[in-house]
Amino acid sequence: MKCSTTSLFLLAPLLISAVALGQPVLPPSAGVELSRAALIEQALTRSYALANNQAEQTKVKIEQQSLRNQYLPEVTFNPTFTHLDRDISITIPRLPYQPLPKEMYSGPYDLSQVIQRRNIGRATVSANMLLFSGTKIPTLNKALTAKGKAILAMADKERMAVIRDVAQAYDQLALVAKSEHVLTEADARLLAQTTFINRAVKEGLATPYDRSKVELAAQDLRAKHVELAGKRQLALARLTQLTGLPAGQLANIYPELTPLIADTLATDVDNRPEIRSLTFTEQAASYKQKATLAGYLPQAYAFGKNELRRQDLSAIEPFWYVGVGIRWTLFDKLAARSERRTAQQDVLMVQNSLNQTRELLTLNLAKARTEMATANQLLVVAQQRTTLARRALDIASKQYEQGLIRITERLEAESDFQKAELDYLQAIVNQRTTAIVQREATGDLVVADVQ
């Protein structure tokens, strides 16, 4: 009866984990696995940062189109109505003599004629079109093109951040799955140990104190199971937040956990998105500086006007006219000079930012390479410790069965082996994390690097 009760007590952590996750206890190979690449692609599709970057690129295209629209004609329709206080008329006074014979003209020589009624209605259409902007528009268009490339380069930074976040969450899920497998094997060994010590207590070969030690070890395993269940829920919540997939669809993932191959070839940061983005930003600032020269050059334009409704005095004006003109500002109160000097400072600021960013990223790469080397060494040490701990556990198990050591020493060997295995799994995760960070530090992180 004691053996059955203890067995049920030891299996309770597995049952608790299964109920908490809403899934049966399955071996790592039994889950319907979604690959890292599939989840990363899903996260990239859902990324708000990438969506905002795309919106920024669209805004640049709109600005370029707006700039090209400056060459389109500006057409104005101008209807007007004017009411005067009185009619406009002209009066010719009587002449002191009669210029024409009466046979030809016998009318009055004092003439009064209304030439404009007090109500005047007019309608005109006028157009103006820029022909030459003094190189300002083409230069600003080049600046916007460089700005678009800078924004596009920063999309790679957001993309690498998504890859890193999903890979880390996925690795955390793999760590939990592998740790659960380690604890499950420990449960099985402890269950066998419980059966052995119950029999030994009945035969007087062990004391109740020894059995209490085994039960205490079972409690420790139960606490570890509960802790892993919480970590699994957090990893699933993180993946749900990144990918938008429901937790129920992700709950059956039991991924593998293997070290990544370190990248030892890349030694510079020229491919980093920040470097490429600031390089294009510097080009954009240079083009803006050149665009300020347009303030010293003339502008050419075409114009035209057409009279749609002609009434009275409006008949004096032509029906329509077209022409070309040149507008050259000879003195603009030093506005162009101030704009040029401001643009020069913008170029200088971008160059300073580029130099500073390059130095910081170079330092970050050195740090990442150092951490990568350290993680690789610690992984080898952790693997060796696991081998030694396994060997010590086998020896302790045989010695305890032969009565050469006490149960406390046997449980210490079990605890050391569990810790060594869990530390080895954590060392793999740390090595994968540093490898991903190093790839990101050189700007070369892609989906294939985290498989």
Side-chain angles (χ1 to χ4, degrees):
M1 180 65 183
K2 291 183 180 179
C3 179
S4 301
T5 304
T6 307
S7 301
L8 180 62
F9 178 76
L10 291 173
L11 292 175
L14 295 177
L15 298 176
I16 291 175
S17 300
V19 172
L21 297 175
Q23 300 292 336
V25 179
L26 299 175
S29 60
V32 180
E33 183 173 337
L34 290 172
S35 65
R36 288 178 175 87
L39 292 180
I40 290 174
E41 292 299 332
Q42 178 65 25
L44 290 174
T45 303
R46 189 176 184 272
S47 173
Y48 296 114
L50 286 176
N52 287 337
N53 185 275
Q54 184 63 44
E56 290 291 338
Q57 296 180 48
T58 303
K59 286 174 58 179
V60 171
K61 293 179 181 178
I62 294 174
E63 291 177 5
Q64 286 183 303
Q65 184 60 50
S66 177
L67 199 61
R68 290 191 293 267
N69 290 344
Q70 298 297 316
Y71 288 112
L72 297 178
E74 180 182 355
V75 181
T76 304
F77 175 61
N78 185 28
T80 61
F81 174 78
T82 306
H83 176 72
L84 306 177
D85 62 339
R86 62 182 181 274
D87 296 339
I88 300 176
S89 60
I90 183 171
T91 301
I92 299 177
R94 180 181 293 275
L95 297 176
Y97 60 91
Q98 185 172 342
L100 296 174
K102 292 182 179 181
E103 291 79 4
M104 295 180 60
Y105 176 75
S106 60
Y109 284 91
D110 52 342
L111 178 63
S112 180
Q113 178 65 40
V114 175
I115 62 174
Q116 176 64 68
R117 301 295 180 183
R118 66 178 60 190
N119 295 320
I120 306 172
R122 300 181 65 184
T124 61
V125 174
S126 59
N128 290 278
M129 185 173 69
L130 181 66
L131 300 178
F132 177 68
S133 64
T135 71
K136 182 175 184 179
I137 291 180
T139 307
L140 288 180
N141 187 59
K142 292 180 180 178
L144 286 175
T145 300
K147 178 182 177 181
K149 292 180 180 179
I151 295 175
L152 182 61
M154 291 305 294
D156 292 337
K157 179 183 179 181
E158 302 296 344
R159 191 174 293 107
M160 289 193 299
V162 171
I163 295 174
R164 180 195 65 230
D165 292 342
V166 174
Q168 289 179 353
Y170 200 89
D171 289 347
Q172 188 64 29
L173 201 60
L175 174 62
V176 171
K178 294 298 182 182
S179 299
E180 287 175 345
H181 183 66
V182 169
L183 295 185
T184 300
E185 292 180 345
D187 285 333
R189 290 192 299 269
L190 194 58
L191 179 60
Q193 190 64 47
T194 301
T195 303
F196 178 82
I197 200 168
N198 283 335
R199 188 183 305 114
V201 170
K202 289 181 179 180
E203 296 175 358
L205 301 176
T207 64
Y209 173 77
D210 295 333
R211 183 165 56 191
S212 67
K213 284 292 186 179
V214 175
E215 293 175 352
L216 182 60
Q219 288 284 0
D220 292 339
L221 279 177
R222 181 182 181 184
K224 292 178 180 179
H225 276 293
V226 173
E227 182 180 357
L228 285 179
K231 290 182 178 180
R232 181 173 176 82
Q233 292 294 338
L234 289 177
L236 290 174
R238 177 59 172 160
L239 282 176
T240 297
Q241 182 264 325
L242 289 171
T243 64
L245 298 176
Q249 187 175 348
L250 303 171
N252 288 332
I253 297 178
Y254 293 91
E256 294 297 324
L257 192 62
T258 55
L260 290 176
I261 299 176
D263 180 18
T264 58
L265 299 178
T267 57
D268 56 57
V269 295
D270 290 339
N271 199 39
R272 280 285 298 192
E274 295 90 337
I275 299 296
R276 290 186 284 116
S277 178
L278 285 173
T279 301
F280 289 125
T281 301
E282 181 183 8
Q283 294 179 9
S286 298
Y287 282 126
K288 287 183 178 179
Q289 179 184 0
K290 294 178 181 178
T292 59
L293 293 174
Y296 301 106
L297 300 177
Q299 293 184 347
Y301 62 95
F303 59 91
K305 185 176 182 181
N306 185 28
E307 190 87 14
L308 299 179
R309 186 178 187 277
R310 304 169 61 81
Q311 179 183 1
D312 300 330
L313 278 179
S314 62
I316 301 176
E317 300 180 1
F319 283 99
W320 60 270
Y321 60 85
V322 293
V324 293
I326 294 179
R327 184 184 299 109
W328 196 346
T329 303
L330 299 180
F331 182 71
D332 61 354
K333 296 181 290 187
L334 303 180
R337 177 174 177 270
S338 298
E339 290 179 0
R340 181 169 178 78
R341 294 177 64 185
T342 301
Q344 289 175 345
Q345 297 306 310
D346 290 338
V347 173
L348 179 61
M349 291 171 61
V350 174
Q351 291 173 347
N352 291 334
S353 298
L354 178 59
N355 294 333
Q356 182 184 26
T357 301
R358 188 184 299 277
E359 292 176 0
L360 293 176
L361 290 177
T362 301
L363 178 62
N364 180 66
L365 176 58
K367 177 175 176 290
R369 293 173 66 87
T370 301
E371 291 177 348
M372 180 77 255
T374 302
N376 285 331
Q377 295 174 5
L378 291 177
L379 179 61
V380 174
V381 173
Q383 187 176 16
Q384 294 174 349
R385 288 181 60 189
T386 302
T387 302
L388 294 176
R390 179 70 195 189
R391 188 181 307 165
L393 177 61
D394 293 339
I395 295 173
S397 299
K398 294 178 181 178
Q399 289 182 342
Y400 178 71
E401 292 175 357
Q402 297 173 1
L404 299 178
I405 60 175
R406 296 185 58 83
I407 187 62
T408 54
E409 296 175 290
R410 164 65 180 78
L411 294 178
E412 286 178 0
E414 175 69 33
S415 177
D416 291 342
F417 178 62
Q418 290 178 27
K419 186 177 184 302
E421 280 195 308
L422 295 177
D423 288 345
Y424 174 64
L425 294 175
Q426 185 63 56
I428 295 178
V429 172
N430 293 341
Q431 191 272 346
R432 290 180 61 88
T433 299
T434 54
I436 292 172
V437 169
Q438 181 182 349
R439 289 278 189 177
E440 187 178 10
T442 59
D444 300 321
L445 180 62
V446 295
V447 178
D449 295 330
V450 299
Q451 297 300 314

